[in-house]
Amino acid sequence: MTNRLAQSQSLYLRKHAENPIDWWPWCDDAIATARQEDKPIFLSIGYSSCHWCTVMEGEAFSDESIAAYMNANFLPIKIDREERPDLDSIYMQALQMMVGQGGWPLNVFLLPESLVPFYGGTYFPVEPRYGRPGFLRVLQQIRHYYDTEKEKLQTIQAEMLDSLQQAAIPPGSIAETLDIQWLFKGLVMSTRIAKTEGPGTRFPMIPYADTALRGTRFALDSQYDADAITRQRGLDLALGGIFDHVGGGFHRYTVDPTWTVPHFEKMLYDNGQILEYLANLWSAGVREPAFERAIAKTVEWLKREMTAPEGYFYAAQDADSFTTPDDVEPEEGAFYVWSFDELQELLTKAEYAELEKQFTVSKAGNFEGKNVLQRRHPGALSQTAEAALDKLFVARYGSDSRSLEIFPPARNNDEAKTTKWQGRIPCVTDTKAIVAWNSLTISGLARSAAVFGNSEYFELAKKAANFILEHQWKGDRLHRLNYDGTVSVLAQSEDYALFIKALLDLHQASLVLDSEAEKAEFWLDKASNVQAEFDEFLWSIEGGGYYNTAKDASGDLIVRERSYMDNATPAANGIAIANLVRLALLSEDLSHLDRAEQTLQSFSSILEKSPQACPSSIAALDAYLHPLLVRTTPAQLRDLIPQYFPTVVFKSEAELPAGSVGLVCQGLSCLEPAIDRQQLLEQIRQYSDR
């Protein structure tokens, strides 16, 4: 018997459809029922590829005694954080205020009238373990507290709501001008964070790495070598076990500080950002063959496994998969790891010897007796090593990489177990389209296309962008999600900001490719149109910056946030500021520059005092303080755009001053026309790096 979630479009919600818990989706009827029955709301937030979300679904949420108590005493609601990042942000912040840390699954208890949380946690086991109480006991104590401590709950409600409202208001302007020293401090801070020393997990943290890379343009007085640290982050990603060396694509993070054993889910948002970062490293002069290979293999993975027939990109792939169709539960990493016996059977002695030389493989293995492939050295792989990896590809997929163009997704566990796969049973793929995550990938592909002059990369990005332009508007409004042709949920600030960036990145990349150069203005026009909609519905007239949600889609929120903190993805306001500067330069519409300045002023206290929280806003400050527009010929553009000039935008110009090759405009004024390529380069470097 299924519950209300069986009809959900969300894969994550449908995974809970057979729980004995009487789940509701987040909706007005659920909240009204909780109020009518005087039940505290148990709100559980997660996402489809979250390992511990899956564990809790199979344990506590499938337990009959827990379900019976939950159904009688609480109103249980499930939210997919990928559908509603605005709700996730509010309740994650509340959880961090309550217990000092957060994570997923995110489980909080809400007062039904106000929707304010009064208790919370992450993973709750069925029985007490890992230093955590058993979930049934937690539920019993929470219900007793709700029934007997009404005055204390009112106090908690007032204090929590006040804290959330204060946190939702940026500290405001502290200076009339934006200080370049804030930029330098922020660049150094991002470089320090990107270094990530000590024990523990390792995440890509691309917003920090990207901002640290900007610091390589300056002679900063710092103990942190930005060149070395940003190059090392690229090597950690391209050589580490976090990268799937057989099939391409990056896993979410590693559980160790050596970048060896990943948490095996693959998220689209990570892969898009890493593509752009590795391409930028290459453009900055770090010509490491492993970077080029990682980009190429990741694009192959995107084309093969993550691209819908309509052209958009799927959201994620699970960490777990079944080893046989008879398995009851999937096994973490099963699709990706190799036993010593498998390697011996699949490879010749020479191939195994070369694989052992190039990768960390052994009889003992490095993950539960099996091997995660991690490269030992940078540089190009030998033909023998590549041949060995090709054989592993065949063993995994049932076909060689050259002939396998499309590998259809397993959309749920039943499909995974009942389809007759030629190789291993794959992980489940969440096939929804998320505009923000697609946009990150479009940007990564566009930058890679520009740096390597690769029209195939551009074509993949163009198809995804056109899908969004043609299918994600409903009632003249951009929507965040697409489920097999059905749009859902009004776009949030990250969708707008990242899609505008993607359109601007396509504009710049098209100038490099002869077949696309004439269509460059199309992308700029579309970016301007989307920006106008963004301004109309999410701009904060009073304080500057952009709200997370539109003014007509915020009725179910206890606070309306303007997020500036970066997480696994960059904060929308940081991206939006940089977009506004680029649009001002390209369109000569100074209202964009006014909005960029107002937003920076709104967050100026954060920029000065807490730059570690907002690397994308530090990058935006860099764009605001070093804005350059270069007008030049198509031939010069093909040479300049693949280089690393992060605060420069380029325009093709047919009519230049006589005897010149280009014109460099710094903000609102232009320099003397450059008479040759050398002078043009000197002007760009002088005014973008000072």
Side-chain angles (χ1 to χ4, degrees), residues 169-180 182 539-546 562 564 573-574 576-578 580-581 592-609 614 617-618 620-622 624-625:
I169 303 172
S173 176
I174 59 170
E176 294 183 1
T177 59
L178 297 163
D179 194 336
I180 197 169
W182 302 350
W539 174 254
S540 171
I541 297 173
E542 301 83 5
Y546 295 89
R562 283 176 283 162
Y564 57 84
N573 273 293
I577 297 164
L580 289 165
V581 174
H592 296 313
L593 201 60
D594 291 339
R595 278 196 168 89
E597 182 177 22
Q598 189 177 348
T599 306
L600 284 166
Q601 284 286 357
S602 179
F603 297 115
S604 60
S605 180
I606 300 297
L607 290 169
E608 184 194 31
K609 297 178 180 179
C614 55
S617 294
I618 294 296
L621 179 61
D622 184 20
Y624 178 82
L625 294 175

Coordinates of all heavy atoms in Angstrom, one line a residue, residues 169-180 182 539-546 562 564 573-574 576-578 580-581 592-609 614 617-618 620-622 624-625:
I169 N 18.4 39.4 7.0 CA 18.7 40.8 6.6 C 20.2 41.0 6.6 O 20.9 40.9 7.6 CB 18.1 41.8 7.7 CG1 16.6 41.5 7.8 CG2 18.4 43.2 7.3 CD1 15.9 42.3 8.9
P170 N 20.8 41.3 5.5 CA 22.3 41.6 5.4 C 22.6 42.7 6.3 O 21.8 43.7 6.5 CB 22.5 41.9 3.9 CG 21.4 41.3 3.2 CD 20.2 41.4 4.1
P171 N 23.8 42.8 6.9 CA 24.2 43.8 7.9 C 24.1 45.2 7.3 O 24.0 46.2 8.0 CB 25.6 43.4 8.2 CG 25.7 42.0 8.0 CD 24.8 41.7 6.8
G172 N 24.2 45.3 6.0 CA 24.1 46.7 5.3 C 25.4 47.3 5.1 O 26.5 46.8 5.4
S173 N 25.3 48.5 4.5 CA 26.5 49.2 4.1 C 27.3 49.8 5.2 O 26.7 50.3 6.2 CB 26.1 50.4 3.1 OG 27.2 51.1 2.8
I174 N 28.6 49.7 5.2 CA 29.4 50.3 6.2 C 30.4 51.3 5.7 O 31.1 52.0 6.4 CB 30.3 49.2 6.9 CG1 31.2 48.5 5.9 CG2 29.4 48.2 7.6 CD1 32.2 47.6 6.6
A175 N 30.4 51.5 4.3 CA 31.3 52.5 3.7 C 30.7 53.0 2.4 O 29.9 52.4 1.8 CB 32.7 51.8 3.4
E176 N 31.1 54.3 2.1 CA 30.6 54.9 0.9 C 31.2 54.3 -0.3 O 30.6 54.3 -1.4 CB 30.9 56.4 0.9 CG 30.1 57.1 2.0 CD 30.3 58.6 2.0 OE1 31.1 59.1 1.1 OE2 29.8 59.3 2.8
T177 N 32.5 53.8 -0.2 CA 33.1 53.2 -1.4 C 33.5 51.7 -1.1 O 33.6 51.3 0.1 CB 34.4 53.9 -1.7 OG1 35.3 53.9 -0.6 CG2 34.1 55.3 -2.1
L178 N 33.6 50.9 -2.1 CA 34.0 49.5 -2.0 C 35.5 49.4 -2.1 O 36.1 49.7 -3.1 CB 33.3 48.8 -3.2 CG 31.8 48.8 -3.1 CD1 31.1 48.4 -4.5 CD2 31.2 47.9 -2.0
D179 N 36.1 48.9 -1.0 CA 37.5 49.0 -0.8 C 38.2 47.8 -1.5 O 37.8 46.6 -1.3 CB 37.8 48.9 0.7 CG 39.2 49.3 1.1 OD1 40.1 49.1 0.2 OD2 39.4 49.7 2.2
I180 N 39.2 48.1 -2.3 CA 39.9 47.0 -3.0 C 40.6 46.1 -2.0 O 40.9 44.9 -2.3 CB 40.9 47.6 -4.0 CG1 41.4 46.5 -5.0 CG2 42.1 48.3 -3.3 CD1 42.2 47.0 -6.1
W182 N 39.3 44.8 0.6 CA 38.3 43.7 0.8 C 38.5 42.6 -0.2 O 38.5 41.4 0.2 CB 36.9 44.2 0.8 CG 36.5 45.3 1.7 CD1 37.3 45.8 2.7 CD2 35.4 46.1 1.6 NE1 36.6 46.9 3.3 CE2 35.4 47.1 2.7 CE3 34.2 46.1 0.8 CZ2 34.4 48.0 2.9 CZ3 33.2 47.0 1.1 CH2 33.3 48.0 2.1
W539 N 14.1 41.3 -7.3 CA 14.9 42.4 -6.8 C 14.4 43.0 -5.5 O 13.2 43.2 -5.4 CB 15.1 43.5 -7.9 CG 15.8 44.7 -7.5 CD1 15.3 45.9 -7.2 CD2 17.2 44.8 -7.3 NE1 16.2 46.8 -6.9 CE2 17.4 46.2 -6.9 CE3 18.3 44.0 -7.4 CZ2 18.7 46.7 -6.6 CZ3 19.6 44.5 -7.1 CH2 19.8 45.8 -6.7
S540 N 15.3 43.3 -4.6 CA 14.9 43.9 -3.3 C 15.0 45.5 -3.5 O 16.1 46.0 -3.5 CB 15.8 43.5 -2.2 OG 15.5 44.3 -1.0
I541 N 13.9 46.1 -3.7 CA 13.9 47.6 -3.9 C 14.5 48.3 -2.7 O 15.2 49.3 -2.8 CB 12.5 48.1 -4.2 CG1 12.0 47.4 -5.5 CG2 12.5 49.6 -4.3 CD1 10.5 47.8 -5.8
E542 N 14.1 47.8 -1.5 CA 14.5 48.5 -0.3 C 16.0 48.3 0.0 O 16.7 49.3 0.4 CB 13.8 48.0 1.0 CG 12.2 48.1 0.8 CD 11.6 47.0 0.0 OE1 12.3 46.1 -0.4 OE2 10.4 47.1 -0.2
G543 N 16.6 47.1 -0.1 CA 17.9 46.9 0.3 C 18.9 46.5 -0.7 O 20.1 46.5 -0.5
G544 N 18.4 46.3 -1.9 CA 19.4 45.8 -3.0 C 19.6 44.3 -2.9 O 19.4 43.7 -1.9
G545 N 20.0 43.7 -4.0 CA 20.2 42.3 -4.0 C 18.9 41.6 -4.4 O 17.9 42.2 -4.6
Y546 N 19.0 40.3 -4.5 CA 17.9 39.5 -5.0 C 17.4 38.5 -3.9 O 18.2 37.8 -3.2 CB 18.3 38.7 -6.2 CG 18.6 39.6 -7.4 CD1 19.9 40.1 -7.6 CD2 17.6 40.0 -8.2 CE1 20.1 41.0 -8.6 CE2 17.8 40.9 -9.3 CZ 19.1 41.4 -9.5 OH 19.4 42.2 -10.5
R562 N 17.7 36.7 1.3 CA 18.6 37.1 0.2 C 19.9 36.4 0.5 O 20.8 37.0 1.2 CB 18.7 38.6 0.2 CG 17.6 39.4 -0.4 CD 17.8 40.9 -0.3 NE 17.6 41.4 1.0 CZ 18.0 42.6 1.5 NH1 18.7 43.3 0.7 NH2 17.7 42.9 2.7
Y564 N 23.6 35.0 0.4 CA 24.9 35.4 -0.1 C 26.0 34.4 0.2 O 27.1 34.5 -0.3 CB 25.4 36.8 0.6 CG 25.4 36.7 2.1 CD1 26.5 36.3 2.8 CD2 24.3 37.1 2.8 CE1 26.5 36.2 4.2 CE2 24.3 37.1 4.2 CZ 25.4 36.6 4.9 OH 25.5 36.5 6.3
N573 N 23.4 35.7 -5.3 CA 23.7 37.2 -5.4 C 25.1 37.5 -5.9 O 25.3 38.4 -6.6 CB 23.4 37.8 -4.0 CG 22.0 38.2 -3.8 OD1 21.5 39.2 -4.5 ND2 21.3 37.6 -2.9
G574 N 26.1 36.6 -5.5 CA 27.4 36.8 -6.1 C 27.4 36.7 -7.6 O 28.0 37.5 -8.3
A576 N 24.9 37.0 -9.6 CA 24.1 38.1 -10.1 C 24.9 39.4 -10.3 O 24.7 40.1 -11.3 CB 22.8 38.3 -9.3
I577 N 25.7 39.7 -9.3 CA 26.5 41.0 -9.4 C 27.4 40.9 -10.6 O 27.5 41.9 -11.4 CB 27.3 41.2 -8.1 CG1 26.3 41.4 -6.9 CG2 28.2 42.4 -8.2 CD1 27.0 41.2 -5.5
A578 N 28.1 39.8 -10.7 CA 29.1 39.7 -11.8 C 28.3 39.7 -13.2 O 28.8 40.3 -14.1 CB 29.9 38.4 -11.7
L580 N 25.6 41.4 -13.8 CA 25.2 42.8 -14.0 C 26.3 43.6 -14.5 O 26.1 44.5 -15.4 CB 24.7 43.4 -12.7 CG 23.3 42.9 -12.2 CD1 23.0 43.2 -10.8 CD2 22.2 43.4 -13.1
V581 N 27.5 43.4 -14.0 CA 28.7 44.1 -14.5 C 28.9 43.8 -16.0 O 29.2 44.6 -16.9 CB 30.0 43.8 -13.7 CG1 31.2 44.5 -14.3 CG2 29.8 44.3 -12.3
H592 N 22.3 48.4 -15.0 CA 22.8 47.2 -14.5 C 24.0 47.5 -13.5 O 24.1 46.8 -12.5 CB 23.4 46.3 -15.7 CG 22.3 45.9 -16.7 ND1 21.1 45.3 -16.3 CD2 22.3 45.9 -18.0 CE1 20.4 45.0 -17.3 NE2 21.1 45.4 -18.4
L593 N 24.8 48.4 -13.9 CA 25.9 48.8 -13.0 C 25.4 49.3 -11.7 O 26.0 49.1 -10.6 CB 26.9 49.8 -13.7 CG 28.3 49.8 -13.2 CD1 29.0 48.5 -13.3 CD2 29.1 50.9 -13.9
D594 N 24.3 50.1 -11.7 CA 23.8 50.7 -10.5 C 23.3 49.5 -9.6 O 23.5 49.6 -8.4 CB 22.6 51.6 -10.8 CG 23.0 52.9 -11.5 OD1 24.2 53.2 -11.4 OD2 22.1 53.5 -12.2
R595 N 22.7 48.5 -10.2 CA 22.2 47.4 -9.4 C 23.4 46.6 -8.8 O 23.3 46.1 -7.6 CB 21.3 46.5 -10.2 CG 19.8 47.0 -10.3 CD 18.9 45.9 -10.8 NE 17.5 46.2 -10.6 CZ 16.8 46.9 -11.5 NH1 17.4 47.2 -12.7 NH2 15.5 47.2 -11.3
A596 N 24.4 46.4 -9.6 CA 25.6 45.7 -9.1 C 26.2 46.5 -7.9 O 26.5 45.8 -6.8 CB 26.6 45.6 -10.2
E597 N 26.3 47.8 -8.0 CA 26.9 48.6 -6.9 C 26.0 48.5 -5.7 O 26.5 48.4 -4.5 CB 27.1 50.0 -7.3 CG 27.7 50.9 -6.2 CD 28.0 52.3 -6.7 OE1 27.4 52.7 -7.7 OE2 28.9 52.9 -6.1
Q598 N 24.7 48.6 -5.9 CA 23.8 48.6 -4.7 C 23.8 47.3 -4.0 O 23.7 47.2 -2.8 CB 22.3 48.9 -5.2 CG 21.3 49.1 -4.1 CD 20.0 49.5 -4.6 OE1 19.8 49.8 -5.7 NE2 19.0 49.4 -3.7
T599 N 23.9 46.2 -4.8 CA 24.0 44.9 -4.1 C 25.3 44.7 -3.4 O 25.3 44.2 -2.2 CB 23.8 43.8 -5.2 OG1 22.7 44.0 -6.0 CG2 23.8 42.4 -4.5
L600 N 26.4 45.1 -3.9 CA 27.7 45.0 -3.2 C 27.6 45.9 -1.9 O 28.1 45.5 -0.9 CB 28.8 45.5 -4.1 CG 29.3 44.5 -5.2 CD1 30.1 45.2 -6.2 CD2 30.0 43.4 -4.6
Q601 N 27.0 47.1 -2.0 CA 26.9 47.9 -0.8 C 26.0 47.2 0.2 O 26.3 47.2 1.4 CB 26.2 49.2 -1.2 CG 27.2 50.2 -1.8 CD 28.2 50.8 -0.9 OE1 28.2 50.5 0.3 NE2 29.1 51.6 -1.4
S602 N 24.9 46.5 -0.2 CA 24.1 45.8 0.7 C 24.8 44.7 1.5 O 24.5 44.5 2.7 CB 22.9 45.1 -0.1 OG 22.1 44.4 0.7
F603 N 25.8 44.1 0.8 CA 26.6 43.0 1.5 C 28.0 43.4 1.9 O 28.8 42.6 2.2 CB 26.7 41.8 0.5 CG 25.3 41.2 0.2 CD1 24.9 41.2 -1.1 CD2 24.5 40.6 1.1 CE1 23.6 40.6 -1.5 CE2 23.3 40.0 0.8 CZ 22.9 40.0 -0.5
S604 N 28.2 44.7 1.9 CA 29.6 45.2 2.1 C 30.1 44.8 3.5 O 31.3 44.6 3.6 CB 29.6 46.7 2.0 OG 28.8 47.4 2.9
S605 N 29.3 44.8 4.5 CA 29.8 44.4 5.8 C 30.3 42.9 5.8 O 31.3 42.6 6.4 CB 28.7 44.5 6.9 OG 29.1 44.1 8.2
I606 N 29.6 42.1 5.1 CA 30.0 40.7 4.9 C 31.3 40.6 4.1 O 32.2 39.9 4.5 CB 28.9 39.9 4.2 CG1 27.6 39.9 5.0 CG2 29.4 38.4 3.9 CD1 27.7 39.3 6.3
L607 N 31.4 41.4 3.1 CA 32.6 41.4 2.3 C 33.8 41.8 3.1 O 34.9 41.2 2.9 CB 32.5 42.4 1.1 CG 31.5 42.0 0.0 CD1 31.3 43.2 -0.9 CD2 32.0 40.9 -0.8
E608 N 33.7 42.8 4.0 CA 34.8 43.2 4.8 C 35.1 42.2 6.0 O 36.2 41.9 6.2 CB 34.5 44.6 5.4 CG 35.7 45.1 6.2 CD 35.4 46.3 7.0 OE1 34.3 46.4 7.5 OE2 36.3 47.1 7.2
K609 N 34.0 41.8 6.6 CA 34.2 41.0 7.9 C 34.2 39.5 7.7 O 34.8 38.8 8.5 CB 33.2 41.5 8.9 CG 33.3 42.9 9.3 CD 32.2 43.3 10.3 CE 32.3 44.8 10.7 NZ 31.2 45.2 11.6
C614 N 31.6 34.1 1.5 CA 31.0 34.5 0.2 C 32.0 34.6 -0.9 O 32.2 35.7 -1.4 CB 30.3 35.8 0.4 SG 31.3 37.1 1.1
S617 N 30.8 36.4 -4.1 CA 30.7 37.8 -3.9 C 32.0 38.5 -4.0 O 32.1 39.6 -4.5 CB 30.0 38.2 -2.6 OG 28.6 37.7 -2.6
I618 N 33.1 37.9 -3.5 CA 34.4 38.4 -3.7 C 34.8 38.4 -5.1 O 35.4 39.4 -5.6 CB 35.4 37.6 -2.9 CG1 35.2 37.7 -1.3 CG2 36.9 38.0 -3.2 CD1 35.3 39.1 -0.8
A620 N 32.7 38.7 -7.5 CA 31.9 39.7 -8.1 C 32.5 41.1 -7.8 O 32.4 42.0 -8.7 CB 30.5 39.7 -7.6
L621 N 33.0 41.3 -6.6 CA 33.7 42.6 -6.3 C 34.9 42.8 -7.3 O 35.2 43.9 -7.7 CB 34.2 42.5 -4.9 CG 34.9 43.8 -4.4 CD1 34.1 45.0 -4.5 CD2 35.4 43.6 -2.9
D622 N 35.6 41.7 -7.6 CA 36.7 41.7 -8.5 C 36.2 42.2 -9.9 O 36.8 43.1 -10.5 CB 37.3 40.4 -8.7 CG 38.5 40.3 -9.6 OD1 39.2 41.4 -9.8 OD2 38.9 39.2 -10.0
Y624 N 33.6 44.0 -10.4 CA 33.1 45.4 -10.3 C 34.3 46.4 -10.3 O 34.2 47.5 -10.9 CB 32.3 45.6 -9.1 CG 31.8 47.0 -8.8 CD1 30.7 47.5 -9.5 CD2 32.5 47.8 -8.0 CE1 30.3 48.8 -9.3 CE2 32.1 49.1 -7.8 CZ 31.0 49.6 -8.4 OH 30.5 50.9 -8.2
L625 N 35.4 46.0 -9.6 CA 36.6 46.9 -9.5 C 37.5 46.9 -10.7 O 38.3 47.8 -10.9 CB 37.3 46.5 -8.3 CG 36.6 46.7 -6.9 CD1 37.5 46.2 -5.8 CD2 36.3 48.2 -6.7

